[in-house]
Amino acid sequence: MAEVISQTEIGPDLYKLKISARIPQAPAEGVAAPGRFCHLQVRQPESWDPLLRRPLSIYNAEGYNPELTAETDRETDFETGHETDHGTDHGTNNERAHKTIRNTDDETDHKAFHKTDHETDQLEFVYQIRGRGTRLLSQFQAGEQIDCMGPLGSGFTLDFRGSSIILLGGGLGIAPLYFLARKLAANNDLQVYLGASSADLLEPLAADFARLDLRLTLATDDGSLGRVGTVFDAFREDFTEKFQEGKNSQQSDYIFACGPVPLLHSLQKYMTANNLPGEFSLEKRMACGSGVCLSCVCQTAKGNQRVCYEGPVLPAREVIFNGC
Amino acid sequence: MAADNSQRERADNPRINHNIDLTTALGALQLNNPVLTASGTCGFGRELAEIYELSELGALIVKGITVEPRSGNPSPRIAETPAGMLNSIGLENPGLEGFIREELPWLAEVKPPVLANISGHSISDFSRLAEGLADREEIAGLEVNVSCPNIGAGGLAFGTDPEMVARVTEAVRDYYSGFILIKLTPAVGDILAVAQAARDAGADALTVCNTMPGIDIDVETQASVLGNTYGGLSGPALQPIALKLVYQLAQADILPILGGGGIMSGRDAIKFFLAGARAVSVGTATLLNPLAPVKIKNEIIDYLEEQNCSSLEEIIGRAL
């Protein structure tokens, strides 16, 4: 069980939920890494309706695996806004954060719980009310218990240093990129493109990014904030120029993106044409979150992949969007 | 390392020292405890084995296989319905050869009995699957799916016709001498006729029941939610329907019954035992919490202790 620390409405039907959850501390056992998600139970314990959990990607985390925390020497503490020192450099994490579930309300003995000690961790999620499940989620108040399973799935590659990295987020697809931006900003050249329909949605989603050491470009469909058009339009404008100047060849550009399928599909075509590597975080209707039911599969060059298990983050070039 | 863990689990789990006899049997298939995973909700056991010791389970019924590999149905594959869900996964599976090559070596290491679930579009598909799995010591038996709502030809159509159920069962029995479960559909007029046909054709036990065909419609798009239009209903919404079929079949005493349909808790499982099931399969509950089968097993123990029962056997069929 996790406890709700705060539930804040930060925009139109847009919420930031902060919980404290017991996350195992052993490496690769349920660590809260960028790109991973938690599966939250929105119904009351005595009810079976709505039946399924709701997956939310991790927006931010504190007090998780120290190896990951040490990626940046100095960073802003997300709660207080004060800069904090995170101590010595433990090196980079060379593998994508692993799957493995390890946190439910259950008292039942549990392999992972035996292997490791726990400490209280804080996880943040940003979500928008889209239906019954998210509406019920928005009604959880500080101090209430919430059944949070996770962190689950496979996250973003994090072993970058001195690289030129581009983040593209459209709409609520911005949410999983904040934690990633925090991890990568200190040691890499980070260019972040964030877009949404209009300013009232984009402003709260982009606010935390503005406090990090990165270059931020905003775009809205209606032009109410930043450039007019999609985040892909903005990115393409900037980079087509860059590629024409022949600056790309010696750079180690890498792209991370999350957003609506049409956005990712356009981006994928552009990345293929310009030989740009990267990763996409995908969203699918999901049931189990633990890899057993095959509800959330996505077609890829390697055959069907489970968004909850091999994903949500998959190599950009492998995803087949027509079947996704 | 594994031994260490299991010892620790033993020490930490108070229910390990209970005095309740949980053993049961489905015909010749002996089970250490009555809680099984339902096919399609536990993959081939690998993911759940990362979370708990599979020896907690009475048996595993692994993901349904077909002769040829299948990539499954288009998305969306699930829809949430009142206290339930529809799925139309479409039997995504590696096919018979893939199963034998990729999954059987792993399943050989799994401690509790493993039942393979087989599906087909034709009688000859079932024959080929039974032949391919005959003499495979890695598995303790076959669950024959004559009731999948999510594949075109065959599937559910077989399960609603006693004559077809008999022919499928015979086809499997011709090649497979081991334990055979026939998984029945709730979408049937006369369940007794179907069950008798399965028994007469050589089945050992019945799984009661599969999902109930259903549909959900999105009022915004004004179209079916599921990529494959129809799906199978599971979860608490299905429970009274499944329970009634178990009760009805147990009264007729045709074959031993593996009961299941929306079992979410130990008390739900108890209802199925009271209705005459000799074991239960847990499916949708695992999709909400992968530990559900273990939790349900522990709650069954709690109930039996409360009732001053020394064995599961004592309550089976008590409501009949």
Side-chain angles (χ1 to χ4, degrees):
Chain A
M1 266 320 206
E3 186 180 312
V4 175
I5 298 171
S6 62
Q7 171 92 268
T8 318
E9 188 167 6
I10 59 171
D13 283 344
L14 191 68
Y15 288 81
K16 190 183 269 186
L17 171 69
K18 189 172 175 183
I19 65 170
S20 75
R22 298 188 317 159
I23 307 294
Q25 292 301 293
E29 287 284 357
V31 294
R36 306 191 75 198
F37 69 98
C38 289
H39 222 15
L40 297 163
Q41 184 175 297
V42 296
R43 59 183 161 81
Q44 292 301 307
E46 294 295 319
S47 165
W48 295 115
D49 200 52
L51 189 66
L52 301 172
R53 291 173 183 268
R54 296 299 189 269
L56 289 182
S57 59
I58 298 170
Y59 179 79
N60 201 1
E62 286 289 315
Y64 50 96
N65 185 349
E67 286 185 31
L68 293 174
T69 341
E71 286 273 313
T72 51
D73 295 328
R74 291 167 68 81
E75 59 190 349
T76 305
D77 182 278
F78 82 108
E79 187 177 20
T80 60
H82 298 312
E83 285 201 314
T84 54
D85 274 315
H86 275 273
T88 52
D89 186 358
H90 288 248
T92 55
N93 181 20
N94 283 321
E95 285 182 12
R96 294 173 74 201
H98 260 272
K99 30 220 152 224
T100 344
I101 295 194
R102 303 318 135 181
N103 197 32
T104 72
D105 66 329
D106 222 287
E107 295 165 20
T108 314
D109 284 331
H110 195 301
K111 274 190 191 174
F113 285 3
H114 285 292
K115 284 180 191 159
T116 173
D117 295 318
H118 298 78
E119 67 177 41
T120 300
D121 294 65
Q122 295 182 356
L123 296 173
E124 269 192 317
F125 308 95
V126 168
Y127 65 96
Q128 192 173 31
I129 295 179
R130 294 271 175 87
R132 222 170 134 224
T134 38
R135 188 160 49 248
L136 286 167
L137 184 62
S138 74
Q139 291 161 9
F140 277 86
Q141 300 295 319
E144 287 188 86
Q145 298 290 302
I146 186 163
D147 180 345
C148 170
M149 187 170 108
L152 304 165
S154 304
F156 296 108
T157 302
L158 297 173
D159 57 339
F160 290 94
R161 206 160 271 263
S163 299
S164 169
I165 293 172
I166 301 150
L167 270 52
L168 268 103
L172 268 290
I174 291 170
L177 300 181
Y178 177 64
F179 195 12
L180 179 66
R182 274 190 68 211
K183 293 296 105 192
L184 296 177
N187 298 313
N188 297 281
D189 175 45
L190 215 55
Q191 172 85 51
V192 178
Y193 291 85
L194 304 178
S197 51
S198 61
D200 54 350
L201 184 59
L202 184 56
E203 210 166 357
L205 286 170
D208 290 335
F209 287 84
R211 289 190 277 273
L212 298 178
D213 178 18
L214 45 80
R215 277 169 292 134
L216 188 58
T217 304
L218 303 179
T220 47
D221 298 341
D222 64 2
S224 53
L225 182 63
R227 299 194 212 166
V228 187
T230 71
V231 71
F232 174 66
D233 297 334
F235 159 76
R236 186 173 48 186
E237 247 169 60
D238 292 357
F239 276 77
T240 304
E241 195 180 305
K242 179 181 167 182
F243 296 144
Q244 280 167 353
E245 289 169 14
K247 287 178 189 167
N248 186 45
S249 51
Q250 69 275 36
Q251 300 250 3
S252 52
D253 282 311
Y254 200 82
I255 297 180
F256 293 101
C258 185
V261 166
L263 170 76
L264 296 181
H265 200 175
S266 306
L267 178 61
Q268 186 189 47
K269 289 176 196 162
Y270 184 87
M271 288 166 69
T272 306
N274 292 287
N275 198 25
L276 286 163
E279 294 166 20
F280 293 158
S281 175
L282 302 173
E283 189 181 19
K284 290 285 274 190
R285 211 180 263 250
M286 194 179 281
C288 72
S290 49
V292 300
C293 77
L294 310 183
S295 296
C296 65
V297 300
C298 167
Q299 283 182 33
T300 76
K302 290 180 177 166
N304 284 354
Q305 303 263 285
R306 295 162 288 187
V307 168
C308 73
Y309 201 81
E310 285 84 16
V313 179
L314 292 171
R317 63 166 63 88
E318 289 176 9
V319 179
I320 300 171
F321 281 109
N322 291 332
C324 195
Chain B
M1 190 68 182
D4 279 4
N5 277 339
S6 71
Q7 272 167 16
R8 258 187 297 178
E9 249 162 59
R10 230 166 278 269
D12 296 351
N13 187 346
R15 290 165 178 118
I16 210 82
N17 295 318
H18 67 84
N19 293 316
I20 310 279
D21 179 6
L22 284 181
T23 58
T24 186
L26 290 165
L29 181 70
Q30 296 292 325
L31 302 169
N32 282 335
N33 80 64
V35 181
L36 284 68
T37 53
S39 180
T41 61
C42 62
F44 293 108
R46 293 178 193 271
E47 297 80 11
L48 295 184
E50 291 178 14
I51 302 166
Y52 59 85
E53 300 290 346
L54 296 179
S55 54
E56 297 271 2
L57 298 168
L60 276 83
I61 308 183
V62 295
K63 178 71 186 169
I65 57 165
T66 49
V67 174
E68 300 300 329
R70 285 174 62 92
S71 57
N73 286 336
S75 295
R77 289 176 167 189
I78 50 161
E80 191 173 58
T81 59
M85 62 176 282
L86 296 167
N87 88 78
S88 72
I89 307 301
L91 284 173
E92 175 176 341
N93 81 91
L96 176 62
E97 281 178 25
F99 174 72
I100 291 171
R101 193 179 55 243
E102 306 293 332
E103 305 299 341
L104 275 188
W106 144 257
L107 291 172
E109 304 300 315
V110 171
K111 279 181 204 153
V114 173
L115 301 173
N117 175 291
I118 58 172
S119 275
H121 295 287
S122 63
I123 301 286
S124 69
D125 279 358
F126 283 100
S127 299
R128 287 177 64 188
L129 289 159
E131 187 179 14
L133 295 171
D135 308 322
R136 299 306 310 221
E137 287 173 1
E138 299 93 330
I139 54 170
L142 299 181
E143 180 178 63
V144 183
N145 184 358
V146 291
S147 46
C148 182
N150 295 324
I151 58 173
L156 184 59
F158 285 143
T160 54
D161 179 353
E163 167 132 15
M164 288 304 292
V165 169
R167 288 181 58 196
V168 170
T169 308
E170 273 164 22
V172 174
R173 178 53 84 206
D174 281 348
Y175 289 97
Y176 194 81
S177 58
F179 177 77
I180 298 175
L181 258 173
I182 304 291
K183 186 169 188 174
L184 304 184
T185 175
V188 63
D190 185 357
I191 192 101
L192 297 178
V194 175
Q196 279 153 359
R199 178 196 59 197
D200 295 345
D204 295 297
L206 303 170
T207 303
V208 184
C209 57
N210 207 324
T211 58
M212 184 80 181
I215 187 172
D216 189 24
I217 292 175
D218 184 326
V219 298
E220 304 302 329
T221 65
Q222 304 187 335
S224 170
V225 171
L226 295 172
N228 199 45
T229 312
Y230 301 138
L233 176 68
S234 67
L238 181 66
Q239 192 187 100
I241 296 167
L243 190 61
K244 183 260 185 184
L245 295 175
V246 168
Y247 190 92
Q248 195 182 356
L249 284 164
Q251 272 188 324
D253 195 20
I254 297 168
L255 282 174
I257 296 165
L258 170 62
I263 294 178
M264 314 303 282
S265 67
R267 297 184 85 82
D268 291 341
I270 295 295
K271 293 181 191 179
F272 281 80
F273 296 128
L274 294 172
R278 307 204 66 85
V280 292
S281 67
V282 173
T284 301
T286 297
L287 310 189
L288 310 190
N289 180 355
L291 285 158
V294 182
K295 183 167 158 276
I296 287 167
K297 185 182 77 174
N298 289 332
E299 289 170 359
I300 291 168
I301 295 168
D302 292 345
Y303 176 87
L304 293 172
E305 281 178 343
E306 282 161 31
Q307 295 288 319
N308 294 316
C309 296
S310 59
S311 72
L312 173 72
E313 184 67 33
E314 290 173 46
I315 65 159
I316 290 176
R318 264 199 197 170
L320 294 172

